[in-house]
Amino acid sequence: MMRFAVIGIDHRHIYHMLGGLIEAGATCAGFDPETSDPRVLAGLRERFPGLPEAGRRALLEDPSVDIVLTAAIPAERADIAIAAMRHGKDVMADKPGITSAAQLEAVRRAVAETGRIFSICFSERFIVPATTVAERLIREGAIGRVVQTLGLGPHRLNRAIRPAWFFDTAHYGGILVDIASHQIDQFLTFTGSADATIAASAIGHFGLDDLPDFQDFGEVLLRSDTATGYIRVDWFTADGLPTWGDGRLTILGTEGTIELRKYVDIAGRPGTDHVFLVDAKGVRHIDASNEPVTYFRRFLADCRDRTETAMRQAHVFTVCRLALDAQAKAALIGGMRPEGPR
């Protein structure tokens, strides 16, 4: 039985990370209750009553702990991961697991020197059953050769429940590092690309007047040696939508298209995980909501067997590098200050 500890509970993503590992058969040895957001701590205690609590050092030094989960403030995740790996633990980090080039180099070095696994839970792929169906359809040749992906990642701001770090670029890394890392991960996965280049990118501020440096819009144009991808991310989901964002992915192939409406089919079918396939035979809707989520089980197997079935380590670092590159190269639009975010 593999055991894991939780260090860093500053984002609600920790709930599905913790729950996913427990459901996959792991045991939680404890969590560090230190947080920047007491509401996240309260939510964790409510969802997972009875879990032991312990300080960071005790959890890192516990020899029975195999894995450390972290959903700390984004800029702090890399340091937690490095400390965990230096203590002989594998790591699952919330996205973005890395917010700077210096952190990327330090995490790469720690992985190379310790032989531990550094995984990022890209939840918009790993906990979305529709993406599993899309991967299978592509493998089966349902749409021919993949030419392009169009990834949309809109989010509701929910300003009233956001901690102060959420609006500080130094803490979250910028909108392309934060949100667009999901879509970069999906572009590489669905096009079968080992690497890519950033052809163009932009970040902007169009919303709250009292937060002129907050990045609420971003876009990226990616190119690999076989495909292209366009990404749009934003914080403008209206309150009328019954979920946090209308996340969509359209995959263009030479013989058809696949569209994923991950979280809602607007004014259409109820529920989540809608897959639409268009090919030579016609148009088909696939309900993917009952497709099993396999990331957590595969991650545990990789930690046990020292394999890479959940996600290749090289893929993790490529996604991080491309997100950082897109953020660094981004043009400023929408009235952002010429000197850029502070």
Side-chain angles (χ1 to χ4, degrees):
M1 181 75 69
M2 303 205 77
R3 288 165 56 83
F4 69 93
V6 180
I7 300 174
I9 55 170
D10 298 282
H11 196 290
R12 287 169 174 79
H13 285 171
I14 196 61
Y15 304 152
H16 64 242
M17 294 165 66
L18 200 163
L21 279 190
I22 291 175
E23 185 176 356
T27 298
C28 183
F31 71 94
D32 181 356
E34 182 179 346
T35 181
S36 63
D37 190 342
R39 290 165 295 196
V40 178
L41 173 60
L44 190 150
R45 286 171 170 160
E46 178 182 352
R47 288 168 173 81
F48 304 96
L51 287 185
E53 301 183 19
R56 176 179 305 192
R57 182 167 182 173
L59 294 172
L60 286 173
E61 294 181 351
D62 183 344
S64 74
V65 170
D66 306 292
I67 298 162
V68 166
L69 302 190
T70 183
I73 294 172
E76 298 176 2
R77 292 171 189 170
D79 284 346
I80 292 171
I82 291 168
M85 288 187 283
R86 298 289 182 198
H87 281 83
K89 326 293 188 191
D90 294 312
V91 175
M92 181 192 295
D94 185 19
K95 66 82 210 168
I98 290 169
T99 61
S100 72
Q103 287 182 4
L104 177 57
E105 178 56 32
V107 172
R108 279 185 187 272
R109 188 165 55 248
V111 167
E113 292 174 357
T114 65
R116 308 318 300 179
I117 295 171
F118 174 74
S119 187
I120 295 177
C121 182
F122 293 114
S123 54
E124 291 191 24
R125 178 162 66 97
F126 288 139
I127 69 168
V128 174
T131 63
T132 303
V133 172
E135 285 189 70
R136 184 166 62 244
L137 289 171
I138 291 170
R139 281 197 311 271
E140 294 171 350
I143 60 170
R145 175 183 172 185
V146 175
V147 176
Q148 197 242 16
T149 65
L150 170 63
L152 306 180
H155 286 62
R156 179 177 288 123
L157 185 60
N158 285 331
R159 182 176 181 177
I161 66 169
R162 301 294 186 181
W165 62 259
F166 178 86
F167 300 99
D168 187 342
T169 310
H171 289 301
Y172 73 89
I175 192 169
L176 301 183
V177 167
D178 183 16
I179 303 179
S181 59
H182 282 302
Q183 283 72 32
I184 293 171
D185 162 68
Q186 291 167 71
F187 167 79
L188 294 175
T189 298
F190 290 113
T191 64
S193 300
D195 204 348
T197 58
I198 305 300
S201 59
I203 54 175
H205 174 83
F206 295 88
L208 301 168
D209 290 338
D210 61 326
L211 294 170
D213 292 334
F214 177 61
Q215 299 169 18
D216 52 26
F217 177 88
E219 62 179 1
V220 182
L221 178 62
L222 286 156
R223 293 196 183 108
S224 73
D225 56 356
T226 61
T228 69
Y230 176 77
I231 294 166
R232 190 205 79 208
V233 292
D234 65 78
W235 287 103
F236 293 120
T237 292
D239 289 343
L241 193 74
T243 188
W244 57 265
D246 183 17
R248 298 192 184 196
L249 175 67
T250 300
I251 306 166
L252 171 65
T254 55
E255 299 175 23
T257 59
I258 297 171
E259 181 182 356
L260 310 186
R261 298 183 186 180
K262 300 179 181 180
Y263 311 112
V264 63
D265 182 13
I266 294 179
R269 298 166 179 83
T272 62
D273 293 287
H274 302 278
V275 178
F276 297 90
L277 171 65
V278 182
D279 59 16
K281 299 176 182 178
V283 179
R284 180 158 49 113
H285 169 263
I286 302 169
D287 179 359
S289 58
N290 292 320
E291 189 75 17
V293 170
T294 63
Y295 166 69
F296 298 100
R297 175 173 50 80
R298 289 182 176 180
F299 173 78
L300 288 178
D302 290 338
C303 293
R304 182 187 64 240
D305 302 332
R306 313 319 295 170
T307 51
E308 295 186 327
T309 64
M311 179 167 50
R312 291 178 297 106
Q313 187 65 75
H315 175 88
V316 179
F317 292 143
T318 299
V319 173
C320 293
R321 175 175 54 79
L322 289 172
L324 291 167
D325 194 25
Q327 188 74 42
K329 293 180 176 178
L332 304 177
I333 57 177
M336 293 199 75
R337 297 178 180 179
E339 65 270 24
R342 295 174 180 174

